[in-house]
């Protein structure tokens, strides 16, 4: 008989979203005619913008004509898109990234999940807690996580709690990790790191020979000037950091699929003999072997995000969600709730009132306000006692949701 990768059995089932769905559908079946507003899932609701649609149509037509048809493209992405990324996402912010340091893909989930392919299994991994589950689960599958301890924790992973007590800024670890995942602006807490706070991590990585895997999928939602959009805004980061970006939340590409990973030439790790090996060449080899490039039409659509018109439209798209975020933030505060995030990110992290648990708060919000959130404990032990609301709903739904909460007897 064929053997499975046993580590898949070690993974607890994807309990969070299935349990949310189960409770919501049970509630809905018992309360016909009541309108439930879903501010739980992290998917966007607004359509692709006209500039993106126009580029898609044009690219589709090219695919139907022998002269302009494109088959397999470069695994790393088309030059036109890599150049546009380098120019718009980096050079305009004073950061020099070479086009061959950019690897276009079908999204940041794939890349953050796959990056472990090029790293040894004996590396010690650190994550913030709460955390985007992909970082942990992909390391479980690879065999780096150790044994499951319950409560979302693994014996070999270093957890850095982020709570109101430390302003959601992870403290430097007591034990040295080889690899640390940082996601800022953060999912699920919606909080950010200032330049100084991020510099602390880059300096730590430089001193301790630690690799930072920096997920900046939400950089387009930053509204304050002093918050870094890229880790490469910090001096020395080119030596220690790989950055992941996505068009999903920025431009509504969750269904279209496009993201990219930046691996600067300087980022290295050691082989068994202690010799330095550039990680960019390994990632290139990995992608060329297991990935055949993002679709041509999708890369044209992504390029359109950077056109003058596309950039304007994309900005109003993120403004739309940030208006929701501000509304949720202020109205919940007025209602007497403790809220975090939502100023530079499309997530609002709400403290459950009166020391009740995340799931208890979830149930009350569902049954008393007909609003669906996501229990914070599902993102890690340190998320207990919090609940995540997203700003990705429509304005009308968000407005109605916050009015219900305002009138709620907590
Ligand atoms: C949504 C999200 C992404 C983007 O994933 P895609 O695969 O590009 O859609 C990446 N990281 C985090 C933390 C996210 O929440």
């Amino acid at each position: 008989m064929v053997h499975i990768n046993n580590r898949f059995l070690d993974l607890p089932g994807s309990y969070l979203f299935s349990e949310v769905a189960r409770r919501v559908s049970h509630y809905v079946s018992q309360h016909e005619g009541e309108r439930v507003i879903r501010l739980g899932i992290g998917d966007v609701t607004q359509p692709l913008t006209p500039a993106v649609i126009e580029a898609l149509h044009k690219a589709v037509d090219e695919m139907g004509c022998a002269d302009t048809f494109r088959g397999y493209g470069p695994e790393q992405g088309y030059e036109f898109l890599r150049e546009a990324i380098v120019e718009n996402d980096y050079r305009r912010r004073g950061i020099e990234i070479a086009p061959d340091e950019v690897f276009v893909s079908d999204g940041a989930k794939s890349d953050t999940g796959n990056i472990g392919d090029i790293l040894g299994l004996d590396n010690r991994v650190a994550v913030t807690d709460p955390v985007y589950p992909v970082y942990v689960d992909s390391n479980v599958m690879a065999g780096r996580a150790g044994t499951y301890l319950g409560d979302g924790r693994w014996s070999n992973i270093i957890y850095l709690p982020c709570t109101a007590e430390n302003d959601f800024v992870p403290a430097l670890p007591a034990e040295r990790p080889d690899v640390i995942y940082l996601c800022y602006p953060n999912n699920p807490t919606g909080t950010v790191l200032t330049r100084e706070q991020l510099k602390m991590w880059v300096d730590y990585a430089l001193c301790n020979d630690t690799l930072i895997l920096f997920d900046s999928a939400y950089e387009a939602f930053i509204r304050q000037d002093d918050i870094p959009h890229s880790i490469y805004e910090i001096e020395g980061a080119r030596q220690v950091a790989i950055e992941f970006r996505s068009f999903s939340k920025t431009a509504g590409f969750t269904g279209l699929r496009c993201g990219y990973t930046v691996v600067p030439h300087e980022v290295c790790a050691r082989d068994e003999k202690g010799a330095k090996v550039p990680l960019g060449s390994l990632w290139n080899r990995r992608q060329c072997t297991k990935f055949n490039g993002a679709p041509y039409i999708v890369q044209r659509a992504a390029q359109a995000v950077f056109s003058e018109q596309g950039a304007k439209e994309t900005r109003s798209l993120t403004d739309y969600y940030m208006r929701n975020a501000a509304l949720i933030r202020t109205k919940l505060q007025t209602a007497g709730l403790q809220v975090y995030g939502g100023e530079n990110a499309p997530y609002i992290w709400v403290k459950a009132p009166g020391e009740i648990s995340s799931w208890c708060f979830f149930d009350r919000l569902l049954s008393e306000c007909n609003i669906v959130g996501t229990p914070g404990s599902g993102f890690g032990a340190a998320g207990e006692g919090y609940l995540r609301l997203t700003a990705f709903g429509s304005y009308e739904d968000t407005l109605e949701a916050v009015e219900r909460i305002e009138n709620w007897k907590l």
Side-chain angles (χ1 to χ4, degrees):
M1 189 65 114
V2 177
H3 290 172
I4 61 157
N5 175 349
N6 267 307
R7 298 173 195 121
F8 278 68
L9 300 185
D10 300 341
L11 279 168
S14 174
Y15 168 77
L16 178 62
F17 290 99
S18 59
E19 181 61 15
V20 167
R22 195 189 67 76
R23 292 192 192 202
V24 173
S25 70
H26 176 76
Y27 180 81
V28 168
S29 72
Q30 304 289 307
H31 298 82
E32 261 177 58
E34 288 183 22
R35 202 170 82 83
V36 170
I37 298 178
R38 290 159 209 266
L39 299 182
I41 47 157
D43 199 357
V44 299
T45 52
Q46 299 307 297
L48 295 165
T49 71
V52 168
I53 292 297
E54 190 189 321
L56 269 175
H57 278 300
K58 184 162 170 272
V60 167
D61 287 340
E62 286 178 52
M63 293 298 271
C65 179
D67 289 343
T68 49
F69 167 78
R70 311 271 187 136
Y72 290 127
E75 290 91 343
Q76 305 82 0
Y78 283 100
E79 208 58 33
F80 64 77
L81 181 55
R82 300 170 94 190
E83 294 278 2
I85 289 166
V86 160
E87 180 59 37
N88 295 281
D89 278 347
Y90 294 103
R91 193 166 300 139
R92 281 193 323 106
R93 295 194 181 278
I95 302 164
E96 278 309 316
I97 296 291
D100 70 348
E101 294 173 318
V102 176
F103 297 84
V104 175
S105 72
D106 63 349
K109 188 190 223 179
S110 320
D111 289 355
T112 53
N114 291 330
I115 194 73
D117 275 15
I118 65 168
L119 302 172
L121 294 183
D122 50 358
N123 287 306
R124 228 22 228 296
V125 171
V127 294
T128 59
D129 178 9
V131 70
Y132 181 55
V134 175
Y135 313 149
V136 173
D137 290 1
S138 58
N139 278 291
V140 172
M141 291 171 182
R144 279 187 210 96
T147 53
Y148 189 57
L149 304 172
D151 215 16
R153 294 195 180 241
W154 296 83
S155 63
N156 207 32
I157 288 194
I158 299 168
Y159 294 91
L160 308 171
C162 295
T163 60
E165 285 69 43
N166 61 10
D167 267 332
F168 302 93
V169 178
L172 293 172
E175 240 181 311
R176 176 194 159 271
D178 298 292
V179 180
I180 164 110
Y181 290 81
L182 293 176
C183 172
Y184 288 95
N186 189 257
N187 177 11
T189 66
T191 57
V192 290
L193 292 186
T194 62
R195 210 171 295 277
E196 294 66 40
Q197 288 161 343
L198 188 56
K199 181 178 187 309
M200 186 185 78
W201 277 100
V202 171
D203 290 345
Y204 177 87
L206 286 164
C207 284
N208 291 275
D209 207 2
T210 295
L211 174 67
I212 300 177
L213 300 176
F214 192 74
D215 186 342
S216 61
Y218 295 97
E219 64 78 28
F221 296 87
I222 293 172
R223 291 296 177 267
Q224 278 166 263
D225 286 341
D226 53 339
I227 305 300
H229 288 247
S230 164
I231 195 165
Y232 305 120
E233 291 179 41
I234 312 296
E235 204 187 326
R238 282 186 57 92
Q239 274 140 283
V240 292
I242 291 175
E243 180 162 284
F244 304 91
R245 292 249 184 132
S246 172
F247 293 89
S248 284
K249 318 298 168 25
T250 306
F253 275 48
T254 53
L256 208 51
R257 311 302 308 140
C258 197
Y260 65 88
T261 291
V262 177
V263 191
H265 298 141
E266 293 92 321
V267 182
C268 290
R270 293 183 193 281
D271 69 12
E272 283 174 345
K273 299 189 192 77
K276 281 182 156 187
V277 180
L279 289 180
S281 62
L282 265 57
W283 183 243
N284 186 48
R285 189 72 174 84
R286 189 269 169 214
Q287 288 298 78
C288 290
T289 300
K290 296 194 185 181
F291 181 64
N292 243 339
Y296 172 70
I297 60 172
V298 171
Q299 292 190 58
R300 282 295 185 197
Q303 180 190 25
V305 169
F306 297 119
S307 71
E308 203 185 324
Q309 187 55 26
K312 265 191 216 147
E313 293 169 3
T314 304
R315 173 70 190 205
S316 45
L317 196 60
T318 55
D319 280 346
Y320 177 93
Y321 295 128
M322 290 312 286
R323 179 169 67 146
N324 291 347
L327 189 64
I328 298 173
R329 232 189 106 80
T330 50
K331 296 288 185 184
L332 265 61
Q333 275 173 338
T334 310
L337 287 159
Q338 201 72 51
V339 298
Y340 306 93
E343 291 176 305
N344 296 288
Y347 296 113
I348 295 88
W349 193 239
V350 190
K351 182 85 184 74
E355 305 300 309
I356 62 173
S357 73
S358 293
W359 278 109
C360 184
F361 189 33
F362 169 90
D363 285 333
R364 284 196 57 192
L365 199 61
L366 178 59
S367 60
E368 296 169 32
C369 298
N370 289 358
I371 294 170
V372 182
T374 310
S377 55
F379 297 100
E384 179 57 271
Y386 294 89
L387 179 126
R388 189 190 74 174
L389 293 179
T390 87
F392 286 130
S394 69
Y395 178 70
E396 295 72 24
D397 275 3
T398 306
L399 192 60
E400 186 175 338
V402 296
E403 278 168 3
R404 289 181 192 174
I405 293 175
E406 268 190 305
N407 297 322
W408 188 23
K409 300 278 171 290
L410 273 166

